[in-house]
Amino acid sequence: MTIEWFILAPAAFFAGMVDAVVGGGGLIQIPVLLSAFPQTSIPTLFGTNKVASITGTSAALWRYARAISIPWRLVLPATGAALLGAWLGAAVVAWIPRDAMQPLVVVMMLAVAIYTFLRKSLGQEETHAARPGDLWRGALFGLVIGFYDGFFGPGTGSFLIFGFVRLFGLDFVRASASAKVVNVATNLSATAFFISHGPILWVVGLTMAACNLAGAYVGTHLALKHGAGFVRKAFLVVVSVLIIKQLLDLF
């Protein structure tokens, strides 16, 4: 365990930092947990990961909410719909193989990365004020992303940020803060599911949660200090890593 903590603690810190800026912390924590505990069941490891990550995500949301204005009128309907979507997505897994989703996700991520790279001004500043139909568009957006998170999952945070920027005109910093609200809600739902379906490695999860919390503090500090341009670059890096990982899994 001594050797494993040298890996798990820094991984949880880095995951919290990355997740606070653009999401994608699970890409770091889950492989490390799988490597450290190869004989442990997947639900137990996924639940342990959620215990750690939800702490960092909640801390990042709290810090963002103190520093910037979150568009709650848009975000709350999206969050409620995302909870419903996540439940529906998890239910559909029983009938549709998740592997069928992977090629489509790679294409979607490539499109997001290329569009963001080519549109240099995307998300640098807010492009328009709230519009009358945003409440319903936000709810539909949350439903779709929640369904995806419950059904498949990888890249949910990145898709949320891109959607808040592209569809609702937010800059990258406010989009990242808004994405945290939805992420906290869906992560709470997932955490409850995993706790009810198997044991959790509580010592590991809570220790990683403390490291994740510290990483989230650093990540939000960097995002708020350096602004939308920094978050945009980090977003492109994380999406590129997601694309590479999905391609490796495919081939």
Side-chain angles (χ1 to χ4, degrees):
M1 284 299 295
T2 304
I3 296 174
E4 287 162 354
W5 281 122
F6 278 112
I7 301 170
L8 290 169
F13 176 86
F14 187 59
M17 184 173 67
V18 171
D19 205 62
V21 181
V22 289
L27 283 173
I28 301 163
Q29 284 188 164
I30 290 175
V32 170
L33 281 167
L34 289 170
S35 175
F37 304 101
Q39 305 303 318
T40 305
S41 69
I42 295 297
T44 293
L45 293 183
F46 277 26
T48 303
N49 169 67
K50 286 296 183 186
V51 168
S53 62
I54 196 172
T55 306
T57 304
S58 300
L61 170 60
W62 178 77
R63 187 128 195 264
Y64 276 127
R66 292 182 64 199
I68 61 176
S69 172
I70 294 175
W72 294 106
R73 182 176 170 80
L74 165 65
V75 170
L76 290 179
T79 301
L83 284 172
L84 174 61
W87 184 86
L88 292 172
V92 169
V93 171
W95 291 284
I96 302 174
R98 292 180 9 150
D99 291 345
M101 191 79 173
Q102 205 158 13
L104 176 60
V105 171
V106 172
V107 173
M108 289 164 58
M109 286 182 178
L110 277 169
V112 165
I114 292 168
Y115 186 89
T116 305
F117 181 77
L118 293 178
R119 295 287 297 273
K120 305 295 183 184
S121 62
L122 182 71
Q124 297 299 315
E125 57 185 27
E126 296 198 9
T127 56
H128 58 76
R131 295 176 292 196
D134 279 355
L135 188 149
W136 302 109
R137 281 191 290 269
L140 179 60
F141 171 63
L143 184 69
V144 171
I145 295 295
F147 180 88
Y148 170 77
D149 194 24
F151 180 68
F152 193 64
T156 297
S158 299
F159 285 134
L160 279 168
I161 291 172
F162 181 79
F164 280 123
V165 170
R166 180 65 186 85
L167 300 176
F168 303 104
L170 303 185
D171 63 57
F172 268 105
V173 175
R174 285 188 84 200
S176 182
S178 300
K180 296 296 172 289
V181 182
V182 182
N183 274 154
V184 167
T186 55
N187 282 345
L188 275 172
S189 178
T191 302
F193 174 84
F194 286 123
I195 288 174
S196 65
H197 282 73
I200 302 295
L201 303 176
W202 286 107
V203 173
V204 175
L206 293 175
T207 305
M208 290 181 72
C211 299
N212 203 277
L213 185 68
Y217 181 87
V218 174
T220 49
H221 173 76
L222 291 172
L224 292 169
K225 180 180 179 180
H226 297 289
F230 169 77
V231 179
R232 177 182 180 274
K233 292 173 185 175
F235 174 83
L236 284 170
V237 169
V238 169
V239 170
S240 298
V241 172
L242 276 164
I243 291 168
I244 293 168
K245 182 184 182 302
Q246 296 304 312
L247 286 172
L248 288 174
D249 289 345
L250 272 173
F251 299 110

